[in-house]
Amino acid sequence: MDPGDPEERSAAADPAADTTGGRDLHLFLQTLQTLWSTRELRQLREEAWKGFATLNDPLATLLDMLDASRGCGGRGPSLEAWVARELERWLQAQPRPGPAQGDPALKPLQVRAVRLLTEGPLSLVEPLVSIFQLQDADRSAVLAHIHRLHQEGKFKEAIVLGTKLQLQADLDVEKVCVPLLLQDKVDLVERYVDSLPHLQRRLLTLMDSWCQPGFDIRAVARQYPQAPLRLERLSPRALGRQVLRLLEQFSLDPALCPSVLTQQRLAALRYLCYKRLVERSMSQESWAELVQGLVGQDEWLREQLLQLLASQDDVATVAQCALDLLLPEERLPATVVAEMSQLRLQESSAPPRTAKAPSEHRRDDCYQLPIPREDIHFLASWEDLARHEDVLLQPGQVVGVDLEWRPSFGVGGRPRVSLMQVAVAGRVFLLDLPRLSSPTGGQAPQAFSQLVSRLLSDPSITKLGYGMAGDLRSLGASYPALAQAVQKLQGGLDLLQAHRQMQVADRPAPAVDRAAGPRGLSLLVQQVLGKPLDKTQQLSNWDRRPLGEEQLAYAAADAYCLLEVYWALCREPARFHLPGALPWSLGLGRSKRRGTWEPPPQKASASPRQVCSPEDATPEVPARAFRVVCDNMLGGLARTLRCLGVDVRVLHSGEDHRQAAEVARQEGRVILTSGLPYHKLRAQVGAGRCLAVDCSLKAQQQAKAVIRHFNVRVTPADIFSRCQRENPLDTRSVPRARRPLLGIHIGACNCDQYLRVSKDVMKQLVQLSVHPGGSGGAGSEAPHSDGEQETGSALEEAPEGCTYDPPCRWLEDTDLQTRVPATLANGTQLQLAGVPAGVLRRPGLQHFYCCTGCGKVFWEGSHLARVTSNFQEVLEGAPCPAGGPS
């Protein structure tokens, strides 16, 4: 209904048509607006509910209010959405229900609501759909509006409206979802196809087609020139991970996505070849078995395997691999074929091979299991469990717990845990989980689940693990009777937490090369006990029965080493930079989320950043003078370092690692890498210019380790001294070879030149952007709707002692090329749409900051306090937060 229609004006003048119960609607709106501007939410809710109770027709009055508010300047959609949601809650609390579907009085209200829906903000969608039951209303007007939104490039608004009104059956799933996938808004697409298996299958089939070899995603992107695309998130590898996650989430057949599965198998094949032929950390038997399972009868994968083998220099190992897999000789180099003939002759003349005892497989350079073979017990029946139950559940003891499963490499669903190792002093018990949980095992399944539950829930038994929460989640996912394993855990001590604290303290054991050497638990064992674990059997078939002697020895060592590490850390905590003996973890810092024990924070010392000896110290470098280039696997570290003022570039997802060396040489940057080519990169840039980052650490811990390693001086003034805004440039038109040199692959602005803007000037600029020329217009709605994230700020109100004051000058009139739109002299347009109206009314906020590189607007806030608190021990001259170390 048109508000200017004479019939509507007549109806409004008729007392019988009064829907407000005699209350002045304009006065009611003014009262709510006044309370809204002061953010007195409790009083605002009381006033709103009191007003709702006086209404004759609440639904019609809401529509009148929304119509009226659209015509009032200075009032954005936030108040509209809040009133609509409050009325929805008020109606639900009333004893009398609203009009039922099919009620003649509801239809004209639905027509008006649909009109408001198509003209209003997204924040109105949910309450209006609920209040007016729009799922069953006439859909023609809404469908036409959705198609119009799509044509205008408002893809997010279109999919949200279609989802809320359940219009999926009337819309083309590809047309709706493709532009959102190109913008990396997979969460909206997931909600759109939720509980609709036929659409889920179509979506995954589409995404799988994008993963075909040779597919160019830019051909699809060119169809949506008005969309801000995120093509770096759409590499085949990234898309493949999304598809595998959705396959599991939707419980669909993996065969639906053959391209992704082939891609995953190829990645696994390359990884296995690296482990066997380069790293030599796999046995030949395990390698051949896993590769055969991956390749199967797939001729394309077999061809890829042949190419991988032909590229290797170790002729003897390649020949043995080819023999074990029965590869065709005509596709192999002549030197490999000749070596294969020699191997056949040797095998034909050699005596039959017999199984070796574990002692014969021992490597002197690796951790040695200190117990004899007879103290390794394999438990596969109820009788086995009953015989050793007292030892396993002895109160007050310390046990090491570990799990093994056959590697799946992301294909074929989640792997099932095959073996559980429990180590006690002098003995190791290996629990055969498939046998013990089999329904044909008689009393074994119940006895097994009861024993494990009692072990985990007994607080007097200290359970040691490494990444314990992840292991227990896998155990629960594999065996439903233990689904609550994480929740049941009491008295758990995750040595991964202690290891992280050791690494953050930057106190590795001497001569440990963390790039090429061991990682994870093996690294911890080397740092504490002097030798790493032998991981040769880690990637073996743990579903095979009987297990080989080498597998049994490996499984026992994996659990028993936890006990020896624990005892060593308890004896000499200071040697490993731990605050006191390890048992303090059993009384402090329990993680409520994971059910494991974590070490308490270490108190800051007088010189928190100085952890190395004076003779090992490197020259101090200011944060803003420190320049790094990160590979694309270290995005979290890059963002964290940039928050601290470091000049950071990140390789594009399609860039080769070698590009990092080129950027480092030309721009004087240090390389931070998590990948395998560490030694190659280090050789290209020289000593001290390349660092391998431990991926088992979180981004904050990685950043602290980097800061300590290079002796970077970070002060409170460095925090947020560089712009974090995602780079808006479209790189599709730039040749790939020039992207690193232009800096447009870095993913963020990275500029450190700001201008300070007074609150009054910012108000003027925002007002001009909303009402250019003072005439209102399309921009009349406030840029921030209720429930949406404030996008312009990295900050909010900070506590005393944490003040944001970057070195910059005030914005002057000469700095502005134009005021509408607000554009700096260098051509950068200020991003004023990211400044919510509420922030401009905040009493304590006096000024803003704008980035001269991209135009993003910032204001002071709680992000500053959080970062200051998180990096307290590496900040120079930072005030101690309340409750922090003194």
Side-chain angles (χ1 to χ4, degrees), residues 388-525:
H388 300 285
E389 179 178 351
D390 291 343
V391 177
L392 287 165
L393 299 179
Q394 181 180 343
Q397 68 177 338
V398 179
V399 302
V401 179
D402 193 31
L403 301 173
E404 305 294 344
W405 52 83
R406 176 176 177 150
S408 68
F409 305 106
V411 297
R414 185 187 296 271
R416 190 184 190 202
V417 178
S418 297
L419 195 71
M420 180 176 185
Q421 306 104 280
V422 181
V424 301
R427 283 186 278 186
V428 179
F429 300 94
L430 309 179
L431 280 64
D432 185 357
L433 301 194
R435 289 274 300 276
L436 292 173
S437 62
S438 172
T440 60
Q443 303 178 56
Q446 184 177 0
F448 160 67
S449 60
Q450 288 179 350
L451 184 143
V452 174
S453 297
R454 289 172 60 190
L455 175 66
L456 296 177
S457 60
D458 188 341
S460 74
I461 302 176
T462 302
K463 275 76 63 175
L464 305 175
Y466 192 90
M468 183 180 290
D471 279 354
L472 293 183
R473 280 194 293 269
S474 296
L475 182 65
S478 301
Y479 302 97
L482 298 172
Q484 300 300 311
V486 176
Q487 290 78 7
K488 289 181 179 179
L489 178 63
Q490 296 187 61
L493 176 59
D494 196 339
L495 293 180
L496 174 59
Q497 304 298 334
H499 194 198
R500 284 175 173 169
Q501 189 160 348
M502 291 166 55
Q503 291 173 315
V504 168
D506 201 20
R507 292 291 297 271
V512 173
D513 186 345
R514 281 184 275 185
R519 297 189 178 192
L521 178 58
S522 182
L523 176 61
L524 176 62
V525 172

Side-chain angles (χ1 to χ4, degrees), residues 130 152 167 171 217 224 284 402 502 549 576 612 627-628 712 883:
S130 173
E152 295 172 357
L167 298 175
L171 297 170
I217 192 65
Y224 304 93
Q284 177 64 29
D402 193 31
M502 291 166 55
E549 285 295 324
F576 303 103
C612 54
R627 314 182 78 199
V628 301
V712 179

Side-chain angles (χ1 to χ4, degrees), residues 570-818:
C570 286
R571 285 193 303 267
E572 299 179 279
R575 177 187 169 195
F576 303 103
H577 214 268
L578 295 174
L582 206 60
W584 46 244
S585 298
L586 300 177
L588 298 173
R590 185 179 180 185
S591 169
K592 295 180 180 179
R593 179 171 66 87
R594 293 188 176 183
T596 56
W597 305 97
E598 299 182 2
Q602 185 177 0
K603 288 191 175 183
S605 61
S607 301
R609 295 184 301 110
Q610 184 66 33
V611 296
C612 54
S613 59
E615 59 271 18
D616 295 331
T618 56
E620 189 176 71
V621 54
R624 273 178 269 188
F626 185 50
R627 314 182 78 199
V628 301
V629 55
C630 299
D631 66 36
N632 52 56
M633 298 299 290
L634 295 174
L637 171 62
R639 288 189 292 272
T640 305
L641 288 175
R642 194 178 290 115
C643 281
L644 300 176
V646 176
D647 184 347
V648 182
R649 288 197 175 188
V650 184
L651 287 184
H652 186 273
S653 59
E655 303 289 352
D656 189 271
H657 278 82
R658 289 170 294 185
Q659 200 69 48
E662 182 180 346
V663 173
R665 287 194 301 268
Q666 293 185 4
E667 302 182 8
R669 296 179 181 272
V670 169
I671 299 176
L672 303 180
T673 181
S674 63
L676 300 174
Y678 165 74
H679 291 291
K680 294 181 180 178
L681 291 172
R682 186 174 62 177
Q684 295 182 56
V685 296
R689 306 296 297 174
C690 183
L691 179 69
V693 178
D694 189 347
C695 282
S696 69
L697 300 179
K698 295 181 179 179
Q700 285 187 14
Q701 296 167 321
Q702 291 174 339
K704 292 175 184 177
V706 169
I707 288 167
R708 288 190 172 103
H709 183 89
F710 291 102
N711 200 16
V712 179
R713 176 168 57 85
V714 184
T715 68
D718 294 318
I719 297 178
F720 291 118
S721 61
R722 289 191 181 275
C723 181
Q724 307 287 310
R725 182 172 184 257
E726 288 294 318
N727 197 326
L729 294 176
D730 186 350
T731 64
R732 288 174 291 167
S733 61
V734 182
R736 181 178 296 274
R738 284 182 53 78
R739 292 178 189 173
L741 305 181
L742 294 176
I744 57 179
H745 59 288
I746 59 178
C749 172
N750 203 45
C751 177
D752 63 349
Q753 301 297 315
Y754 294 167
L755 289 172
R756 195 189 311 261
V757 187
S758 71
K759 189 175 186 179
D760 291 338
V761 172
M762 183 58 66
K763 284 182 177 179
Q764 294 173 11
L765 294 176
V766 171
Q767 185 66 22
L768 286 172
S769 71
V770 174
H771 304 293
S775 60
S780 61
E781 292 180 346
H784 171 58
S785 59
D786 190 58
E788 296 290 327
Q789 184 178 0
E790 297 180 1
T791 58
S793 169
L795 319 160
E796 285 175 11
E797 294 179 13
E800 184 177 357
C802 298
T803 303
Y804 187 62
D805 188 23
C808 59
R809 61 182 180 82
W810 288 93
L811 176 75
E812 300 177 357
D813 288 341
T814 56
D815 292 315
L816 287 174
Q817 187 181 100
T818 61

